Amino acid sequence: MLKLIGSVMVFGSCAALGLSARQNLRRRVAAADAMLLALGLIRSEISGRRTPMPEIIGLLAENEQPIVRKVFRTLQRRLREQNGLSLGYLWRSTLRDCRAQVGLGTQECDILCDAANYLGRYDADEQLTGLSQVERRLAASREAAQEDLANRGNLYRTCGIALGLLVILVLI
């Protein structure tokens, strides 16, 4: 009976590892989608109403998307608390600190950090040009993450299950 319980636990943990790896890929795609929407909103606010960045950050902090809301609430809080630091520095540090919590990949985080080079530093046209470039790069990275999910997602799940079965066969 003890062997059976141990086997079930080993199988379950191996399968969970495979499913967790697949879920991380899904979160990466969802996070990239959410941040693309946020960049689109930033771009439209800058081009349409010429809204200042603190107001845009406030709008995004109240967004319906939990990923966007988490990142921009953290950024908004840091802007209030650490008034002497630049927006670019706070943007980068917030993205790096929230990356794991919201599911962003390293590559997507680095691309989004590049937006700090443009936001709030230049006139609206130059900010829009920089944001468009960041959006194109993030969209390409999102497509690569989607391909990883399609190609490797099922592989991770299957390998986790197969590893669990293999360990059970070795133990029995």
Side-chain angles (χ1 to χ4, degrees):
M1 182 67 175
L2 197 55
K3 263 189 176 180
L4 179 64
I5 292 172
S7 298
V8 169
M9 291 179 72
V10 166
F11 175 76
S13 63
C14 290
L17 283 174
L19 292 172
S20 174
R22 183 175 189 221
Q23 184 62 28
N24 287 341
L25 290 175
R26 273 197 183 142
R27 286 185 68 215
R28 183 176 164 201
V29 172
D33 284 339
M35 293 308 291
L36 279 169
L37 290 172
L39 288 175
L41 190 132
I42 292 171
R43 191 171 30 81
S44 67
E45 285 292 322
I46 289 173
S47 67
R49 295 183 24 208
R50 307 277 190 212
T51 309
M53 279 308 296
E55 284 183 39
I56 295 172
I57 292 167
L59 286 172
L60 289 167
E62 301 303 321
N63 195 285
E64 293 176 6
Q65 285 276 343
I67 294 168
V68 173
R69 191 172 49 241
K70 169 71 177 150
V71 170
F72 287 95
R73 276 191 181 164
T74 305
L75 179 58
Q76 185 180 40
R77 182 180 44 80
R78 288 181 177 183
L79 277 172
R80 277 194 308 261
E81 293 171 356
Q82 301 169 354
N83 201 14
L85 297 174
S86 71
L87 173 66
Y89 174 80
L90 292 173
W91 176 276
R92 285 184 186 98
S93 65
T94 300
L95 283 169
R96 289 187 178 121
D97 292 346
C98 292
R99 182 182 70 79
Q101 295 171 1
V102 298
L104 280 171
T106 305
Q107 184 179 7
E108 290 85 11
C109 184
D110 291 343
I111 291 168
L112 286 166
C113 285
D114 288 344
N117 296 331
Y118 309 104
L119 294 176
R121 297 181 101 188
Y122 302 109
D123 65 357
D125 292 332
E126 290 181 33
Q127 288 183 61
L128 293 172
T129 303
L131 279 176
S132 296
Q133 178 186 14
V134 168
E135 278 183 295
R136 281 192 301 274
R137 290 175 51 211
L138 186 59
S141 180
R142 184 244 179 247
E143 290 302 317
Q146 180 66 37
E147 281 184 32
D148 277 353
L149 176 61
N151 294 336
R152 296 183 190 168
N154 292 335
L155 176 69
Y156 289 157
R157 181 190 63 209
T158 305
C159 285
I161 292 170
L163 178 63
L165 290 173
L166 180 67
V167 170
I168 289 173
L169 291 174
V170 168
L171 288 177
I172 292 179

